[in-house]
Amino acid sequence: MEKIEISVFSFDELEDDAKEVARGYFREHLTYPWFDEEIASIKAFCEHFGARLVDYQVGGDRGDFIKSDATPAHFRGVKLKDIDPHYMPIGYCMDSDIWMHFHDVFKETGDAFHAFTDTLEVARIVIERNVEYYFSDESIDESIICNEHEFMANGELFTYDKRRVA
């Protein structure tokens, strides 16, 4: 029988170069988990006014955008008093961002269509910032530390995979 000793490190114990290796691994294997909910909030927002979300791109090579088929006609008769800034159609936190912003811009400008298009742009920016933060060093470090991942000295994720030890 052969006995093998392996040194395992917490993230905080790693050298800076090894921390970069660890972060790189997580960036490569993570997917942003809230995108579907964010898009569902935007779709519900559009549908509230009888419009549809027709296309979107956030974080891609073509440039970021959110497009709907809304026209000024979708907003005829819309009154500020009928807009609940706390409306949560799908119960996701982006609902709050969307409806509060729409309400505030509509109140300020008196133009519901302008408030709608401005809100779609703000929603795009919110998603972009959320994704950017999710993949930031700060967020990844926090996740690694909270989940108590262990690493080899070079920053490679340590697993108890028998094939790796053998």
Side-chain angles (χ1 to χ4, degrees):
M1 177 170 106
E2 183 179 355
K3 185 176 182 180
I4 299 173
E5 188 173 314
I6 298 172
S7 296
V8 179
F9 301 87
S10 71
F11 184 74
D12 289 333
E13 295 173 317
L14 295 175
E15 298 292 329
D16 289 343
D17 289 348
K19 285 181 180 180
E20 284 302 318
V21 170
R23 288 181 191 116
Y25 173 84
F26 282 90
R27 277 194 186 94
E28 192 176 303
H29 291 88
L30 288 175
T31 55
Y32 181 66
W34 301 287
F35 190 72
D36 290 343
E37 288 84 355
E38 290 168 341
I39 293 301
S41 286
I42 295 167
K43 284 181 180 178
F45 175 67
C46 292
E47 290 167 1
H48 181 84
F49 298 103
R52 290 180 313 112
L53 176 65
V54 294
D55 198 8
Y56 55 88
Q57 174 72 34
V58 180
D61 297 335
R62 300 183 302 170
D64 296 342
F65 60 87
I66 294 177
K67 293 181 183 174
S68 79
D69 64 357
T71 66
H74 287 94
F75 300 91
R76 285 196 190 110
V78 174
K79 294 180 177 24
L80 182 64
K81 68 179 178 87
D82 297 329
I83 302 300
D84 178 2
H86 305 289
Y87 185 46
M88 300 282 289
I90 73 161
Y92 183 67
C93 60
M94 182 167 257
D95 291 340
S96 293
D97 296 335
I98 288 172
W99 286 97
M100 295 277 272
H101 185 81
F102 177 79
H103 181 271
D104 292 348
V105 174
F106 187 19
K107 182 177 181 179
E108 180 183 315
T109 65
D111 184 341
F113 181 63
H114 169 74
F116 177 84
T117 57
D118 190 69
T119 299
L120 291 183
E121 178 61 13
V122 166
R124 180 196 63 79
I125 292 167
V126 167
I127 294 171
E128 191 176 82
R129 288 181 181 160
N130 288 347
V131 170
E132 185 178 301
Y133 177 74
Y134 186 74
F135 290 100
S136 71
D137 286 356
E138 179 184 355
S139 176
I140 289 173
D141 292 0
E142 182 179 310
S143 177
I144 289 171
I145 292 166
C146 287
N147 288 296
E148 299 179 344
H149 291 291
E150 296 175 312
F151 301 90
M152 307 298 286
N154 66 358
E156 185 180 335
L157 184 65
F158 174 76
T159 63
Y160 291 94
D161 184 346
K162 291 178 185 167
R163 292 168 294 183
R164 209 173 128 186
V165 175

